Each structure stands twice: as structure tokens, then as C-alpha cells.
């Protein structure tokens, strides 16, 4: 096989077969295909797409490029949840303890922030002492013992995706349906869950901006999961404004703890309950999502979910004092308000810009090597539809650097649109794809 010929084939809109895709991925991981040729291939895929078969072959080739985690030593149905990435999305920190508190094994391998989107592993590392790099043996032991473990992906989990993702990031080829679907699903398949609940975001803070594109991505990922014999469903949820009010690593953990204590914002609470309830259905605990939501609500009111989070933190070396004393989290030096320039209604928040503002403050990585500042972020006081008066605080910036505060402030100001009339309301959940691949609307 010559990589040159495969590039020509894809450039001309033809289909690559399983053997060609396998060989291409294996040779790329082995360093036999240079980045410039793979970049040309990615761009050809970007413009010409891949059909369902090609996307499945690419997913399997990437999943098989490293370790396939064996979770068979954990009894019960292991259910995982994955989001396609958003701003202020801390649902994993909320639903994982709720679901585990119901006795369902939650063996969760999570990622770090990508671009303008945050990642669960970075957030958890803001808890003093918390280790996200536990061994596979400890991971399995903890799930068997307390029903929950959350760790970072092991170095050799889908290494082909790691290499390809870094290349996509710098060649403007991230937001392509087949490439996103195969990237996410290769990691999910390799991390061993029996069943997968996908949260596919849509809107200005998502990789897929239109609802139609998000449904199509969800459909593709559900097909891949079910083809690989993992029961997979998806929900399409709104990311046209940040989820909840807190953005930034330590800040998001605080908001997740508050939500588990029953004081969370409505959107964050409802989405966490809905995704968690889908996990209960996938684990055969109930047949009905509404019943699942009620079961999970009880874990908040009776304190079982917050207790489970405490157990998770203790089991992974973290300081459990953080549950009641937020002063032990990393704290920024400055807190600066941003105010509204006029009276009106918040009619739009350009959500990826809010994510980039948090990244500029140090909450995300500018390069792969960047270390992140866990204390910084943004607290939103006003969200879409809220009435504001000129001079009202719309949000607070938490920062450690005056210059970065100025650039973040500019981005946030231009991200907020204030108009005379309130915007049409958007649903929190648009619908989903069931395990048979059928689309439903909410
Ligand atoms: N998350 C991933 O892991 N991969 C993508 O391509 C996009 C979001």
C-alpha cells in the first residue's frame, strides 16, 4: 500500500476498504507515514467525508491501536457516559456519584480539556491530593469496592487517536463528523464499558453548531457502538450557552458539589439527572428514564450522592474536607465584575468565546505542553433571557493576571449580546437516538 495512492483515492471521493484503513492507521502509529501525508488524508476526508463502513473501520483500527481495557473483573453492567465537549459542562462529576449511589458500577475514564472545552480530569485535579492516574488494578478494585472510579486515559489507550487528534488540532480538521465520531468512539470502546450514554452537544459552544449536524453525529456514534456490541444511546443537548453558572476547573467542582447538595442550577441539575437516568436504563435498573430521574433525585435528597462523591475523593487520595470547606480549593487573586453597557435582555451568549476567555485566563491549554491554572474562570450572573439594566454585573472573572483579565474581558463582552426583546427560548434537550438507531424528539 502506498499512502500516496490512498490520498488520491480519498481525494477523488472513493471509498477506502477495511484493509487500507487498518494498514494506514498501523503505519501511522508506527511512524512509517509522515504527518504531511496524514494531514493531506485528513483534509481529503474533511471535504469528501467517509461513509458508515469507513467510519466504523477507522474507529476499530484506532481502538485496536493500543490497550483494550478488560473490565470483566467488575461484576454488573458497566455503563459509561461521554460528552462531545462543551463549556461549563460538569455533568460527569454529578451523575457519576448519583449512579454509583444506586449500586451501578461506574468505571469512568475521562479526558482533559480540548480547545475551548473543559475536561473532567483537569477539574478533579483541583481537589487537593486527588489522583487521576491510578493503576488499572486500583481502578478495578475501587469500582468493586465503592462502585466508582474516575481516572485519566492510560497512555496506551487508542494511541492512534492521540496522534491524529493532535494533528487535526493544527490542520483545521477537527469538526468533521466521521473524524469526531471515530475519535470519541475509539476511546470509549477501548476503555471497556458494556454500555455507553452519549451527550452530543449542539450550539455555539459545541463542535457541531447546528441541531441537524448534532443528530447526524449522534446517529453515527450510536451505530458504531451498537455495531461493536456495546448498547449505546445518545441525547442531543443544548450548548448555545454555558451549562450552569461556573466555568473553570475548581469553580466547576464547587458547582458540582452544590448540585449534589440540592442547590444546583436548573439546567445543570436536569441534564445530569437525564443522562444519569439513561445510564440506569442502560444498566437495566429501570425501563423508564422518568423513573430513573426520580430514583436519582432521591440520592440528592437523602445525601447518598454527596456521600458517594466523598468516598470517591477519599479512595483516590483527595482531601474530603473540600465537600464542606471550599476555601481549600485553589483560589484566584483577583475577582473582577463585567457589567452591561445597556438595558435589555441577554439574547445570545457566543459560548465558544466564553470557553476561550477561560482558556486565556489559564483555565485551558494554549499548547499541548501548557500547565493550567486550576483557580481561574468565570461565574455567570446573567444567562440567556435574563433582563439586565445598564451597569448590572453580567459575570465575574476570576484571574491571577491583570493582562489576561483585560483580554478575557474583551472576549466576554463581545460574546454577550443584549437586545430589546428576549430571545426565543431553546430547549435544554432536543431529543436523542435510541439503541435501535431511531431518532426521537423531545
Ligand atoms: N472529543 C474527542 O475526543 N474527539 C473529537 O474529535 C472531538 C471531541
Amino acid at each position: 500500500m502506498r499512502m500516496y495512492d490512498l490520498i488520491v483515492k480519498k481525494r477523488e471521493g472513493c471509498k477506502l476498504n477495511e484493509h487500507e484503513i487498518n494498514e494506514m492507521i498501523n503505519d501511522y502509529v508506527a511512524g512509517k507515514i509522515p504527518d504531511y501525508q496524514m494531514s493531506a488524508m485528513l483534509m481529503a476526508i474533511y471535504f469528501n467525508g467517509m461513509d458508515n463502513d469507513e467510519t466504523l473501520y477507522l474507529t476499530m483500527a484506532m481502538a485496536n491501536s493500543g490497550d483494550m481495557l478488560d473490565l470483566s473483573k467488575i461484576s454488573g453492567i458497566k455503563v459509561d457516559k461521554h460528552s462531545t465537549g462543551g463549556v461549563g459542562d460538569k455533568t460527569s462529576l454529578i451523575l457519576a456519584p448519583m449512579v454509583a449511589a444506586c449500586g451501578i458500577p461506574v468505571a469512568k475514564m475521562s479526558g482533559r480539556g480540548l480547545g475551548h472545552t473543559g475536561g473532567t480530569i483537569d477539574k478533579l485535579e483541583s481537589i487537593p491530593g486527588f489522583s487521576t492516574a491510578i493503576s488499572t488494578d486500583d481502578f478495578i478494585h475501587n469500582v468493586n469496592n465503592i462502585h466508582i472510579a474516575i481516572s485519566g486515559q492510560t497512555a496506551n489507550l487508542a494511541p492512534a487517536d492521540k496522534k491524529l487528534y493532535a494533528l487535526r488540532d493544527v490542520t483545521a480538521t477537527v469538526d468533521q463528523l466521521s473524524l469526531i465520531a471515530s475519535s470519541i468512539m475509539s476511546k470509549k470502546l477501548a476503555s471497556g464499558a458494556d454500555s455507553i450514554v452519549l451527550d452530543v452537544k449542539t450550539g455555539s459552544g459545541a463542535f457541531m453548531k447546528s441541531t441537524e449536524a448534532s443528530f447526524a453525529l449522534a446517529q453515527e456514534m450510536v451505530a458504531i457502538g451498537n455495531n461493536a456490541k456495546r448498547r449505546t444511546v445518545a441525547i442531543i443537548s443544548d450548548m448555545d450557552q454555558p451549562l450552569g453558572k461556573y466555568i473553570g476547573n475548581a469553580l466547576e467542582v464547587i458547582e458540582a458539589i452544590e448540585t449534589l447538595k440540592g442547590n444546583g442550577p436548573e439546567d445543570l441539575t436536569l441534564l445530569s439527572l437525564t443522562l444519569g437516568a439513561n445510564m440506569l436504563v442502560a444498566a437495566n435498573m429501570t425501563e423508564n428514564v422518568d423513573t430513573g430521574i426520580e430514583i436519582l433525585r432521591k440520592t440528592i435528597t437523602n445525601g447518598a450522592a454527596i456521600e458517594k462523591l466523598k468516598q470517591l475523593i477519599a479512595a483516590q487520595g483527595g482531601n474530603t474536607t473540600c465537600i464542606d470547606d471550599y476555601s481549600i480549593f485553589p483560589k484566584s487573586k483577583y475577582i473582577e465584575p463585567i457589567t452591561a453597557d445597556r438595558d435589555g435582555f441577554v439574547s445570545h451568549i457566543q459560548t465558544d468565546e466564553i470557553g476561550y476567555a477561560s482558556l486565556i485566563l489559564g483555565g485551558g491549554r494554549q499548547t499541548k505542553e501548557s500547565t493550567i491554572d486550576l483557580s481561574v474562570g468565570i461565574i455567570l450572573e446573567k444567562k440567556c433571557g435574563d433582563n439586565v439594566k445598564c451597569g448590572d454585573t453580567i459575570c465575574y472573572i476570576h484571574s491571577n493576571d491583570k493582562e489576561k483579565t483585560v483580554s478575557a474581558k474583551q472576549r466576554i463582552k463581545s460574546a454577550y449580546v443584549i437586545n430589546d426583546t428576549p430571545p426565543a427560548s431553546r430547549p435544554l434537550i432536543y431529543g436523542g437516538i435510541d439503541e435501535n438507531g431511531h431518532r426521537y424528539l423531545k
Side-chain angles (χ1 to χ4, degrees):
M1 177 206 78
R2 283 206 322 151
M3 184 62 180
Y4 180 91
D5 298 331
L6 296 190
I7 297 169
V8 172
K9 202 169 171 187
K10 194 59 352 231
R11 188 194 69 192
E12 297 307 312
C14 301
K15 181 171 167 168
L16 302 179
N17 64 38
E18 186 172 10
H19 174 70
E20 289 166 336
I21 290 178
N22 273 337
E23 220 174 317
M24 174 176 81
I25 292 301
N26 290 341
D27 284 357
Y28 183 56
V29 174
K32 293 184 196 160
I33 295 174
D35 280 348
Y36 54 80
Q37 282 192 311
M38 190 51 95
S39 303
M41 173 58 83
L42 289 172
M43 196 52 84
I45 294 172
Y46 190 90
F47 283 117
N48 289 327
M50 285 182 130
D51 72 7
N52 293 350
D53 290 339
E54 289 175 290
T55 310
L56 178 65
Y57 302 148
L58 179 60
T59 309
M60 297 316 296
M62 293 204 293
N64 287 317
S65 67
D67 300 336
M68 295 289 270
L69 211 66
D70 175 9
L71 298 182
S72 59
K73 287 194 190 131
I74 301 171
S75 54
I77 301 174
K78 279 77 65 183
V79 188
D80 200 353
K81 166 259 167 194
H82 188 89
S83 145
T84 56
V87 180
D89 180 5
K90 66 284 290 172
T91 53
S92 291
L93 301 175
I94 301 161
L95 60 83
M98 287 194 301
V99 172
C102 298
I104 306 295
V106 179
K108 186 139 187 44
M109 287 227 165
S110 290
R112 296 191 181 275
L114 271 181
H116 70 280
T117 67
T120 302
I121 291 305
D122 295 331
K123 292 170 201 177
L124 282 171
E125 286 179 354
S126 67
I127 299 172
F130 194 98
S131 170
T132 56
I134 57 174
S135 68
T136 305
D137 284 349
D138 285 348
F139 182 81
I140 290 173
H141 170 80
N142 290 355
V143 181
N144 277 328
N145 207 22
I146 59 168
H147 294 129
I148 185 167
I150 306 183
S151 81
Q153 283 139 11
T154 56
N156 202 32
L157 191 103
D161 174 63
K162 221 164 266 154
K163 224 176 147 185
L164 273 176
Y165 194 89
L167 194 60
R168 287 166 60 210
D169 213 12
V170 293
T171 54
T173 49
V174 171
D175 49 344
Q176 200 281 334
L177 190 147
S178 295
L179 295 177
I180 296 179
S182 56
S183 164
I184 290 176
M185 292 308 290
S186 63
K187 286 175 289 212
K188 289 294 109 182
L189 299 184
S191 53
D194 302 309
S195 188
I196 303 160
V197 175
L198 297 164
D199 179 17
V200 178
K201 305 287 189 189
T202 193
S204 62
F207 287 117
M208 291 293 167
K209 310 289 182 210
S210 76
T211 318
E212 190 45 46
S214 301
F215 267 102
L217 174 61
Q219 200 130 25
E220 186 77 54
M221 290 198 289
V222 168
I224 294 171
N226 290 323
N227 234 307
K229 308 276 176 287
R230 315 290 172 98
R231 183 173 170 181
T232 306
V233 297
I235 277 174
I236 318 300
S237 74
D238 193 49
M239 188 36 70
D240 207 44
Q241 62 175 333
L243 192 60
K245 294 182 173 175
Y246 286 37
I247 299 142
N249 296 292
L251 291 173
E252 291 191 38
V253 177
I254 293 171
E255 192 174 43
I257 294 173
E258 279 299 308
T259 305
L260 288 171
K261 289 178 181 171
N263 310 320
E266 211 180 303
D267 59 348
L268 177 61
T269 306
L270 185 58
L271 183 59
S272 306
L273 286 168
T274 307
L275 290 166
N278 273 277
M279 291 170 78
L280 297 191
V281 172
N284 289 337
M285 184 170 188
T286 170
E287 281 180 9
N288 184 292
V289 172
D290 291 334
T291 314
I293 289 178
E294 288 324 305
I295 294 172
L296 292 177
R297 261 193 217 284
K298 281 203 193 100
T299 68
I300 296 182
T301 49
N302 67 16
I306 194 78
E307 182 53 34
K308 190 53 74 181
L309 178 66
K310 207 171 190 173
Q311 288 176 8
L312 166 74
I313 294 172
Q316 295 191 212
N319 184 345
T320 55
T321 318
C322 72
I323 298 281
D324 298 305
D325 178 5
Y326 301 150
S327 72
I328 74 162
F329 282 103
K331 266 211 163 38
S332 66
K333 275 194 254 168
Y334 316 111
I335 299 180
E336 180 147 337
I338 299 185
T339 55
D341 293 335
R342 52 163 292 182
D343 292 355
F345 294 89
V346 177
S347 62
H348 178 65
I349 302 175
Q350 186 59 35
T351 305
D352 49 4
E353 285 298 304
I354 302 286
Y356 282 121
S358 177
L359 190 149
I360 288 170
L361 292 168
R365 291 176 188 77
Q366 311 257 16
T367 66
K368 273 196 296 175
E369 290 72 31
S370 309
T371 47
I372 59 175
D373 184 340
L374 297 165
S375 69
V376 300
I378 301 154
I379 297 184
L380 307 181
E381 289 294 311
K382 301 286 180 191
K383 292 190 62 177
C384 288
D386 286 348
N387 188 216
V388 290
K389 294 264 169 287
C390 183
D392 279 356
T393 299
I394 50 175
C395 69
Y396 291 97
I397 294 184
H398 287 233
S399 169
N400 284 315
D401 182 306
K402 295 266 183 202
E403 250 173 62
K404 290 179 182 168
T405 308
V406 173
S407 5
K409 199 168 180 171
Q410 273 167 359
R411 282 193 107 120
I412 295 171
K413 276 220 153 200
S414 57
Y416 263 86
V417 181
I418 299 176
N419 270 328
D420 291 335
T421 48
S425 71
R426 287 173 66 106
L428 175 66
I429 296 165
Y430 290 79
I433 307 290
D434 69 19
E435 61 182 293
N436 300 314
H438 297 140
R439 194 183 276 216
Y440 64 90
L441 297 173
K442 267 275 178 191

